[in-house]
Amino acid sequence: MVLLVLLIVPLAASLALAFIGDRKFAPEVNILGSAATFAASIRLALQVYEQGPILAGDNFFFVDAFSVYLTVLTAFVSMTTSIFSRRYMRREREHGTIGSRRIRFYHAMFQLFIFAMLLCLLTNNVGILWISMELATLSTVLLVSLYRTPAAIEAAWKYFILCGVGIALALFGTVLLYFAAEKVLGAGGAALHWTNLAKVSNQLEPTILSLAFVFLMVGYGTKVGLVPIHNWLPDAHSEGPTPISAVLSGLLLNIALYALVRCKVLVDGATGTNHSGHIMMGFGIISIIVASFSLLRQKDIKRLFAYSSIEHMGIATFAFGLGGPVATFGALLHMLVHSLTKSSIFFTVGHASQMHRTQEMAKIKGLIRGNPLVGWGLALGVMAIVGMPPFGVFTSEFLILTATIKDAPWFAPFLLLGLGVSFAALFRRAQPMVSGERPPYQHRLKVAHLPVILHMLVVLVLGLYIPKFLAEWFQTAVGLLK
Amino acid sequence: MNMQLASQVNSLLAALILLTAFGLVVQRRMNALLHLFAWQGFFLAVSTAIVGYVGGVRDLYISSVLTLSMKVILLPYILHKLIVKLRIHKEVETVVNIPTTMLMGIVLVIFSYHLTAPIRELSTLVTRSTLAVALATVMLGFLMMITRKHAVTQIIGFLAMENGLLFAATSATYGMPLVVELGVALDLLIAAFIFGMFFFHISTTFDSLDVDQMARLKEED
């Protein structure tokens, strides 16, 4: 029941906002919808915590430890983003960047995007997983081009074409998966149910599944933002409205990685080797290296953090590929803390760029003097994202690094190099932005305090101690993904 | 219709689909491209219906009708309207010249046969030999998207890829489950809406649909 509520609320909110999205109270409706979704996700999490995995709706929905924490995360970040977007979008409207039709469109699509991501996480059907992934892409394409500047349209077109092609390849992989499954499970929708597939994965034809994985890897990998198919990501992040950058980085990339990992479990079951893991490790490590060196060359603040997202998704992909209890635990935790930290950074970046009316880093100065929350939020966010203790990213990266040194020592220097370079690059950029005197062209703005404070608090707590329920979920998920 | 005949007709249709895919890669006139695309959709729809008949799979009829209405009627119609409205007649130059593109296409077909060889041996369906053609169609659509620098041709390449995917689904497995097919069609419909909007945005912002003009977002040194 709660599953249906979780899906219907964002869908209904999307429909309602398609009509009233330009009213004065629309941002509040948006917040209310997301808050209701979040409440439903908590309810679902409690149910899963008490009863274990849930299969519902004629096996159509499936929630286990792996998907439930991502569901709560998705609902939580979309709630805080809607709070942040209230003031942010209102200001964009006052500046005349967007009109009433586009703000309506923005609100409706935001909720549709949340719906698509939740459907990804809750569905048991690998085909539906693909469809909702595509829906999530489509609903954000026109949001990236919301400002209709030449650069924004170019970014959105790139996003549309690259992700369209990528996801088409993932569909081919899904067709191959179904082809193999049909021989064992018989034709029909049940042959695409993940729970059924996982049960018989050792009987699936290994040659087909290894071929399928290549397509799935490239397809979903495009959406994760892995190098060399990452080109859409920095553009889409830098040209879209900041709330969208926050949810793209914080949520969509995670969901794509989730889809990939779900498929990996099936492929590993069939082949009995960690061949797919090696492919993921390769993509992961290349992403880390390329992204960290690209960080050095950035001038646009949102592009900078977009590259940092590529780096961190690379770390998580690498860790999932490495496998083993410690690395997988680290990867699960990394998805969580990266998502929280990165969306918080984007909130502060959004405020900072509105204060200076530019995204150019050279012109952003004196943030702490100008607005302590934005300045300290960005400073602490950067400290967290580069992996400084006591924040959660340190814990997850430490776990992953330990596992790497133990299981794949040859990769450790590359991983350390990536982490070191990105540390230097981000620090060098952030320091002049937050410190110093306020420049005369800096505006004073009212900002949304709650989202940044909440996110950073959770990240801090996760760095100091991991609550029992979360640890149990992660342990269960680790067992599941073995 | 006996199995032998059905299998042969299906192979013929597969050949026609591959032929239209090649046609799409090399054709430079916009209207001819649309016609080729519609024909490809038509062959796909007929092939899906035949596979449905031979295999006794009712769902494939629905899929066939969906293909017919979307790929043969609706999408070409929308694209045609847009072309007239935006006054596009001839395509801009391709990145690679046409004979080279052809050769690349041939390499892709051989590669597809090579890649699907282990699967062909496992399949028992009458349609199994066409999986390679399906993959080749996907690859050729991909090639078209890379070598063409025009927004409309890129979209046609994208849609041709989708044709190849549907063909793969019917030829390898007698079609995906209905709910998935419907979902894919829905996504396609939304995508059609989006690229329609895009053509307008691009042509009003850049004065033409040549994607080469979109080169603002690069890493600066």
Side-chain angles (χ1 to χ4, degrees):
Chain A
M1 216 37 241
V2 66
L3 275 168
L4 280 182
V5 174
L6 196 50
L7 289 173
I8 287 171
V9 169
L11 198 60
S14 165
L15 272 177
L17 285 166
F19 293 102
I20 58 156
D22 54 346
R23 301 281 174 83
K24 210 168 165 26
F25 55 85
E28 282 77 12
V29 174
N30 193 22
I31 295 173
L32 207 67
S34 317
T37 314
F38 179 57
S41 77
I42 294 281
R43 179 79 191 72
L44 178 74
L46 284 174
Q47 209 173 329
V48 173
Y49 185 63
E50 280 159 14
Q51 303 168 4
I54 301 175
L55 259 174
D58 199 17
N59 291 344
F60 188 79
F61 295 111
F62 175 62
V63 193
D64 63 3
F66 185 26
S67 52
V68 76
Y69 96 93
L70 287 171
T71 310
V72 176
L73 176 70
T74 304
F76 177 71
V77 174
S78 48
M79 179 179 73
T80 48
T81 306
S82 64
I83 298 173
F84 161 72
S85 106
R86 178 172 151 259
R87 281 229 169 91
Y88 185 89
M89 292 314 279
R90 192 166 280 166
R91 201 162 295 127
E92 293 288 291
R93 211 172 153 183
E94 281 160 12
H95 290 177
T97 330
I98 46 173
S100 66
R101 263 184 63 189
R102 274 190 246 165
I103 194 91
R104 207 162 67 198
F105 183 78
Y106 164 83
H107 279 128
M109 282 299 157
F110 182 80
Q111 290 288 341
L112 187 68
F113 176 55
I114 296 170
F115 165 77
M117 286 191 297
L118 288 172
L119 186 60
C120 265
L121 292 168
L122 299 178
T123 186
N124 188 17
N125 187 317
V126 186
I128 302 290
L129 176 68
W130 182 87
I131 290 164
S132 38
M133 200 73 218
E134 169 91 344
L135 185 65
T137 314
L138 293 174
S139 57
T140 41
V141 163
L142 290 179
L143 288 181
V144 170
S145 69
L146 196 72
Y147 294 151
R148 303 281 163 80
T149 58
I153 289 176
E154 179 186 338
W157 180 256
K158 220 184 218 179
Y159 177 39
F160 181 51
I161 290 295
L162 265 173
C163 285
V165 171
I167 207 114
L169 294 179
L171 180 60
F172 193 78
T174 312
V175 169
L176 288 177
L177 188 63
Y178 179 62
F179 174 54
E182 187 206 37
K183 293 196 188 329
V184 184
L185 294 164
L192 271 179
H193 284 171
W194 190 85
T195 40
N196 294 346
L197 285 167
K199 254 179 242 155
V200 296
S201 66
N202 56 350
Q203 299 167 40
L204 299 175
E205 183 56 43
T207 41
I208 303 178
L209 281 211
S210 7
L211 184 61
F213 187 76
V214 175
F215 283 99
L216 290 165
M217 177 77 221
V218 175
Y220 288 133
T222 313
K223 296 238 67 182
V224 182
L226 296 175
V227 175
I229 28 190
H230 64 289
N231 301 33
W232 65 272
L233 196 146
D235 298 348
H237 279 64
S238 64
E239 300 309 323
T242 309
I244 296 306
S245 320
V247 281
L248 281 181
S249 244
L251 302 177
L252 184 67
L253 308 184
N254 265 356
I255 309 281
L257 186 56
Y258 164 83
L260 185 61
V261 173
R262 278 277 186 215
C263 296
K264 175 185 184 284
V265 175
L266 302 177
V267 177
D268 284 351
T271 55
T273 59
N274 193 21
H275 184 63
S276 57
H278 294 147
I279 301 179
M280 283 175 81
M281 279 164 80
F283 271 100
I285 207 82
I286 292 171
S287 303
I288 297 170
I289 300 285
V290 172
S292 60
F293 279 97
S294 304
L295 280 172
L296 290 167
R297 311 166 49 191
Q298 300 311 313
K299 297 197 170 95
D300 180 305
I301 186 165
K302 279 160 87 179
R303 282 185 89 84
L304 179 81
F305 289 110
Y307 273 105
S308 154
S309 292
I310 298 177
E311 184 217 336
H312 284 277
M313 291 327 280
I315 293 175
T317 310
F318 173 80
F320 275 123
L322 188 61
V326 180
T328 313
F329 192 99
L332 293 166
L333 181 63
H334 197 73
M335 278 167 91
L336 176 65
V337 287
H338 168 252
S339 161
L340 290 167
T341 317
K342 191 51 68 60
S343 36
S344 162
I345 289 179
F346 272 113
F347 298 155
T348 57
V349 163
H351 287 312
S353 59
Q354 273 188 337
M355 280 159 74
H356 296 82
R357 305 262 167 94
T358 178
Q359 288 175 205
E360 221 175 296
M361 280 186 279
K363 291 192 181 146
I364 299 176
K365 286 185 195 107
L367 280 175
I368 292 180
R369 293 266 165 80
N371 187 321
L373 177 96
V374 175
W376 282 112
L378 184 62
L380 291 176
V382 169
M383 269 160 73
I385 208 77
V386 296
M388 298 260 276
F391 295 102
V393 183
F394 169 76
T395 320
S396 61
E397 284 182 354
F398 185 75
L399 285 173
I400 293 169
L401 194 60
T402 323
T404 311
I405 291 170
K406 183 172 164 286
D407 294 334
W410 287 106
F411 281 104
F414 296 105
L415 190 59
L416 277 171
L417 175 72
L419 291 177
V421 171
S422 63
F423 180 93
L426 284 171
F427 236 78
R428 192 184 62 148
R429 291 295 186 197
Q431 200 268 340
M433 285 195 284
V434 295
S435 61
E437 288 299 321
R438 319 183 28 226
Y441 49 83
Q442 190 188 73
H443 299 263
R444 285 201 185 275
L445 299 175
K446 277 190 177 171
V447 299
H449 292 85
L450 191 65
V452 178
I453 295 174
L454 265 180
H455 280 216
M456 290 317 292
L457 258 181
V458 178
V459 175
L460 182 65
V461 168
L462 286 172
L464 298 172
Y465 129 103
I466 293 173
K468 186 165 151 280
F469 72 94
L470 199 60
E472 276 177 24
W473 275 342
F474 283 174
Q475 295 291 3
T476 323
V478 166
L480 204 78
L481 302 178
K482 209 159 39 189
Chain B
M1 211 188 302
N2 65 34
M3 281 300 205
Q4 195 71 37
L5 182 65
S7 167
Q8 278 172 8
V9 172
N10 211 51
S11 298
L12 176 68
L13 285 166
L16 287 170
I17 288 175
L18 190 61
L19 197 67
T20 44
F22 265 104
L24 287 171
V25 171
V26 296
Q27 180 57 259
R28 277 167 55 189
R29 279 184 28 250
M30 214 38 107
N31 267 325
L33 265 178
L34 275 188
H35 283 140
L36 274 172
F37 172 68
W39 275 111
Q40 190 180 50
F42 176 73
F43 295 138
L44 177 63
V46 174
S47 149
T48 312
I50 289 177
V51 174
Y53 179 76
V54 174
V57 189
R58 288 254 179 77
D59 289 355
L60 280 184
Y61 292 142
I62 300 174
S63 163
S64 166
V65 172
L66 265 179
T67 309
L68 199 67
S69 51
M70 299 256 307
K71 296 277 177 60
V72 187
I73 301 164
L74 190 64
L75 288 174
Y77 177 76
I78 294 174
L79 284 169
H80 181 75
K81 279 273 165 199
L82 284 169
I83 286 171
V84 172
K85 198 152 191 177
L86 300 171
R87 296 201 198 88
I88 306 157
H89 304 293
K90 203 171 158 255
E91 228 256 281
V92 284
E93 287 300 306
T94 50
V95 182
V96 191
N97 67 25
I98 283 172
T100 319
T101 323
M102 277 287 232
L103 286 175
M104 283 158 77
I106 291 168
V107 172
L108 283 178
V109 175
I110 296 169
F111 177 65
S112 306
Y113 267 90
H114 175 72
L115 208 59
T116 52
I119 297 174
R120 271 205 309 283
E121 277 154 31
L122 294 166
S123 177
T124 48
L125 304 182
V126 283
T127 50
R128 61 186 177 150
S129 59
T130 49
L131 187 65
V133 175
L135 183 60
T137 314
V138 175
M139 296 276 186
L140 287 171
F142 202 16
L143 180 67
M144 185 174 166
M145 291 181 80
I146 297 168
T147 55
R148 298 303 187 90
K149 288 289 172 187
H150 194 279
V152 178
T153 28
Q154 284 196 338
I155 285 297
I156 295 177
F158 177 70
L159 294 170
M161 264 181 99
E162 194 102 41
N163 275 347
L165 289 169
L166 286 178
F167 193 52
T170 39
S171 63
T173 64
Y174 285 160
M176 298 280 272
L178 189 62
V179 54
V180 177
E181 295 248 359
L182 288 176
V184 173
L186 178 73
D187 276 345
L188 193 64
L189 209 62
I190 302 174
F193 168 73
I194 291 179
F195 66 66
M197 300 257 290
F198 254 120
F199 290 160
F200 277 104
H201 294 167
I202 295 176
S203 64
T204 47
T205 324
F206 294 93
D207 287 329
S208 112
L209 280 168
D210 186 354
V211 251
D212 248 359
Q213 299 171 65
M214 296 204 268
R216 268 153 231 260
L217 297 172
K218 274 188 188 150
E219 295 310 330
E220 52 225 298
D221 288 299

